[in-house]
Amino acid sequence: MAARDAVRNAGCGPDAPAPLPTLVAVSKVQPWERIAPVLAAGQRVFGENRVQEAQTRWAGVRETYPDLELRLIGPLQTNKVRAALDLFDVIETVDRENLAAAIADAVAKGAPRRRLYVQVNTGEEPQKAGVAPAEADAFIARLRDHHRLEIEGLMCIPPVDEAPGPHFALLARIAARNGIPRLSMGMSSDFETAVRFGATSVRVGSALFGAR
Ligand SMILES: *Cc1c(COP(=O)(O)O)cnc(C)c1O
């Protein structure tokens, strides 16, 4: 499992005593024949970007693997919040007020309280989800104070055509000044850089499973 070894090496050099980042195996779109051997080899944390696809794929798998951890890393519509909270352990894409409100409302009505990440649009790309960096502090405060939601981490997807380092550094700064402990950053092409900038989890798809 080359990607996992590289993650281990990147996070574990003599000058980087930080704990190992979590490998989130991004299984979206992949056929089960590619996922099953990774699961059998001991990988337990998987990322999916669509609620329905994840339900189809993972329903029932928990019976065999009770320590499975599923993370939603794609956009979440408010009408799918209850289904998402029922299925996923972690929602990494909280990025707007009405979504936060829908999550708080679902929890008040009995949905499980899940680990939450705020997605930050570090590149301020119009087509990309995530709160703008300049609005992140106020958004985080609103989630905490008004919606009573605990924020475990921040997540970002840097622009494809830019060096990712400054985006990871920006995400780390926003997390630090808001007292947020975790950083979900780094994909197949840049996870080693992300680990150097303090990623506590990396989301790796194609480098692990092959091209989609
Ligand atoms: C698909 C996806 C990934 C994985 O991308 P790879 O380049 O295949 O590693 C990571 N994060 C998010 C949000 C994704 O949608």
Side-chain angles (χ1 to χ4, degrees), residues 24-30 47-49 72-75 92-93 119 155-157 184 186-191 202-212:
V24 179
V26 177
S27 47
K28 65 182 185 195
V29 190
Q30 298 288 354
E48 291 281 349
N49 68 340
L72 181 64
I73 60 169
E92 295 204 3
T93 50
Q119 182 174 354
M155 180 272 232
C156 76
I157 310 169
S184 168
M187 305 173 29
S188 290
S189 58
D190 56 16
F191 64 87
V202 295
R203 310 177 307 269
V204 179
S206 44
L208 190 60
F209 294 109
R212 284 182 295 273

Side-chain angles (χ1 to χ4, degrees), residues 48-62:
E48 291 281 349
N49 68 340
R50 301 177 75 112
V51 177
Q52 232 153 348
E53 183 189 340
Q55 277 173 331
T56 310
R57 174 165 302 146
W58 293 104
V61 179
R62 250 185 243 273

Side-chain angles (χ1 to χ4, degrees), residues 3-4 12 15 21 42 73 90 118 120 126 138 150 154 157 166 168 180 183:
R4 178 186 259 187
C12 212
D15 53 352
I73 60 169
V90 183
V118 167
V120 181
E150 193 179 320
L154 300 182
I157 310 169
F168 298 150
I180 291 177
L183 293 169

Side-chain angles (χ1 to χ4, degrees), residues 89-105:
D89 301 281
V90 183
I91 312 280
E92 295 204 3
T93 50
V94 180
D95 65 347
R96 50 196 203 283
E97 175 88 33
N98 72 335
L99 176 58
I103 291 171
D105 186 53

